[in-house]
Amino acid sequence: MKSYDAHVADCRTLLSRRAAVVVPALESAGYELAEPVRAASPFPAFTASSMDGYAVRVRDVPGRLRVVGEVAAGRLPAIEVGTGTAVRIMTGSPVPDGAEAVVRVEDTVATGDEVEVAVAAQHGQNIRGAGEDVTTGDVLLDAGQVIGAAQIA
């Protein structure tokens, strides 16, 4: 009697690969990748905040800072961080020029157009560099992988 694995191996020899086809990503569920999927660009594409909080200069915190603007998700910074100032920033937003760190909103108390930062910060704290997660050409999905909802996303 043949083992299950041996039987499956024999069955596979009877099958032939179908020709590769190109299908829209949203219609690809259940297909197997004929070749690896590689990143076309870095991710994040820019230096980004990894927290909701305040973009600051390291030498200015802890302390009270004047809030000079806000960078909402999906928006480019219209202002930079200077001496004694902070910019409110959302997770994933581009870090404004002049900022050296992002202090978590939990470590601050905002009052009007000022924010009291209760902690010191280190250069690069809560900041993700451009391409930190994925660089151009990185393999995102391997050849042979079956596509499901997670891969489509």
Side-chain angles (χ1 to χ4, degrees), residues 98-122:
E100 300 167 335
V102 173
V103 177
R104 300 179 320 152
V105 71
E106 294 89 347
D107 294 324
T108 66
V109 176
T111 308
D113 67 348
E114 292 186 326
V115 63
E116 181 72 31
V117 178
V119 298
Q122 296 178 0

Side-chain angles (χ1 to χ4, degrees), residues 2-65:
K2 198 185 320 185
S3 73
Y4 171 80
D5 290 335
H7 182 69
V8 169
D10 287 344
C11 289
R12 288 182 197 264
T13 65
L14 301 173
L15 302 174
S16 59
R17 288 212 176 264
R18 293 182 4 193
V21 295
V22 176
V23 295
L26 292 176
E27 298 172 19
S28 65
Y31 283 83
E32 180 181 312
L33 286 172
E35 57 188 52
V37 173
R38 296 184 179 277
S41 60
F43 183 80
F46 46 80
T47 302
S49 175
S50 62
M51 301 262 155
D52 285 353
Y54 291 87
V56 299
R57 293 177 352 142
V58 170
R59 60 187 160 275
D60 291 340
V61 294
R64 181 172 295 280
L65 305 172

